[in-house]
């Protein structure tokens, strides 16, 4: 018997006799990220960054100067996972600010969730020059889509390997951990209580996305199915869809095709803005 099989068996038994207790333990685990160290290939970019602290304590890294692009990594991720994209943006004349999400890196907190990620984007945007683009990976992408609903202003938005709805993420985690039905229901309710919003509301089908955008996903993503990108694209009228044949959930961040697509989007948005001013 492997360890995960044993864990699911224990959860199935405990979930029948003490569903609320099990849900509480799993909720805490679900919302408490590990701080994983950067890989060796991230270190040169990390060492070249300027570390900044925002007004309410959020930590961020900054590179370059010029029109501002704001980046948000995924769950248990790091700003420097965007290394290739950061270099491409800086080389093209943009200034890049990449956040340490709440409870990640040097930002404060012990627990986090997609709502706190979105609030962090709003906090950063309030202190930075007008944003040319916001780019988010995985939960960072989901939080960027949510932040638009909460008033985030940006000229363009890029979602990479993001889920289209958080309820699906919660149900997937509960199923993976082997929670029986009653414990699953308690788990979802407890997450909703801590996040302060019903999970069913965190769904792109409910959103008003009125900003030009790009939806990126790899066909072989084993963590978030590529079908999620299709749902986001369908709900987002002014979006382009880029499906990569390979790249998984994280390796796709190192694909130069994404860099070109992002720069093309920013160029298109800039041209549209210049035409609007000229007319």
């Amino acid at each position: 018997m492997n360890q995960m099989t044993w864990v699911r068996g224990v959860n199935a038994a405990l979930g029948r006799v003490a569903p609320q207790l099990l849900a509480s333990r799993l909720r805490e685990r679900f919302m408490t990220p590990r701080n994983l160290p950067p890989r060796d290939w991230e270190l040169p970019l990390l060492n070249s960054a300027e570390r900044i602290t925002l007004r309410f304590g959020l930590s961020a890294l900054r590179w370059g100067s010029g029109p501002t692009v704001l980046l948000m990594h995924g769950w248990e991720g790091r700003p420097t996972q965007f290394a290739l994209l950061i270099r491409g943006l800086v080389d093209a004349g943009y200034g890049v600010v990449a956040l340490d999400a709440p409870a990640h890196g040097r930002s404060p907190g012990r627990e986090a969730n997609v709502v706190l990620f979105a609030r962090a984007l709003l906090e950063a945007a309030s202190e930075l020059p007008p944003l040319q683009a916001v780019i988010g990976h995985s939960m960072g992408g989901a939080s960027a889509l949510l932040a638009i609903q909460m008033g985030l202003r940006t000229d363009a938005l890029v979602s990479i390997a993001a889920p289209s709805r958080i309820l699906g993420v919660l149900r997937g985690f509960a199923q993976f951990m082997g929670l029986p039905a009653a414990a699953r229901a308690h788990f979802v309710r407890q997450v909703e209580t801590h996040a302060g919003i019903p999970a069913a509301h965190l769904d792109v089908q409910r959103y008003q996305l009125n900003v030009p955008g790009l939806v990126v996903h790899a066909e072989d993503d084993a963590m978030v199915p590529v079908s999620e990108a299709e749902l986001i694209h369908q709900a987002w009228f002014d979006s382009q869809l880029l499906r990569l044949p390979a790249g998984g959930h994280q390796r796709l961040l190192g694909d130069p095709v994404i860099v070109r697509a992002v720069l093309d989007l920013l160029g298109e948005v800039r041209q549209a803005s210049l035409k609007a001013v000229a007319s």
Side-chain angles (χ1 to χ4, degrees), residues 202-222:
L202 302 172
D203 186 335
V204 294
Q205 302 293 332
R206 292 173 171 261
Y207 293 174
Q208 295 293 320
L209 297 168
N210 54 1
V211 59
L214 175 67
V215 182
V216 183
H217 220 105
E219 301 280 354
D220 61 349
D221 190 330

Side-chain angles (χ1 to χ4, degrees), residues 87-211:
R87 292 190 181 99
L89 287 165
V90 171
D91 288 346
Y94 292 93
V96 177
V97 175
L99 295 177
D100 279 344
H104 290 71
R106 297 190 188 180
S107 286
R110 192 180 73 87
E111 295 186 1
N113 57 67
V114 68
V115 178
L116 291 179
F117 271 49
R119 288 176 181 163
L121 288 170
L122 289 166
E123 176 188 328
S126 72
E127 297 190 44
L128 295 172
L131 299 178
Q132 298 294 297
V134 174
I135 303 173
H137 172 245
S138 193
M139 183 182 282
S143 69
L145 293 165
L146 175 60
I148 294 292
Q149 312 312 300
M150 299 167 69
L152 179 68
R153 300 291 297 274
T154 178
D155 289 344
L157 180 65
V158 180
S159 165
I160 304 174
S164 68
R165 60 183 190 136
I166 300 303
L167 187 58
V169 176
L170 300 182
R171 287 172 173 168
F173 177 79
Q175 182 176 4
F176 176 75
M177 297 302 297
L179 273 65
R184 287 199 301 269
H186 285 299
F187 168 73
V188 171
R189 283 197 292 270
Q190 290 189 28
V191 169
E192 290 175 329
T193 297
H194 280 77
I197 187 171
H201 290 183
L202 302 172
D203 186 335
V204 294
Q205 302 293 332
R206 292 173 171 261
Y207 293 174
Q208 295 293 320
L209 297 168
N210 54 1
V211 59

Side-chain angles (χ1 to χ4, degrees), residues 4-49:
M4 202 60 230
T5 301
W6 181 83
V7 168
R8 292 189 185 106
V10 170
N11 286 343
L14 182 58
R16 284 191 291 271
V17 297
Q20 287 182 290
L21 174 62
L22 178 62
S24 178
R25 290 179 178 176
L26 267 292
R27 195 282 314 159
E28 182 176 4
R29 175 176 173 180
F30 181 76
M31 289 186 162
T32 305
R34 300 169 296 169
N35 259 315
L36 304 176
R39 304 287 182 87
D40 288 346
W41 57 265
E42 299 173 55
L43 295 178
L45 190 69
L46 180 62
N47 293 334
S48 69

Side-chain angles (χ1 to χ4, degrees), residues 41-50 60-65 67 69-73 78-100 135 160 252-256 258-260 262-263 266:
W41 57 265
E42 299 173 55
L43 295 178
L45 190 69
L46 180 62
N47 293 334
S48 69
E50 175 191 2
L61 298 175
R62 180 161 57 193
W63 297 266
S65 60
V69 177
L70 179 61
L71 307 183
M72 177 63 91
H73 61 74
R78 301 171 299 281
T80 44
Q81 289 175 307
F82 290 104
L84 188 68
L85 183 55
I86 291 168
R87 292 190 181 99
L89 287 165
V90 171
D91 288 346
Y94 292 93
V96 177
V97 175
L99 295 177
D100 279 344
I135 303 173
I160 304 174
L252 82 170
L253 291 174
D255 194 325
I258 295 180
V259 180
R260 290 196 296 271
V262 169
L263 292 177
L266 292 178

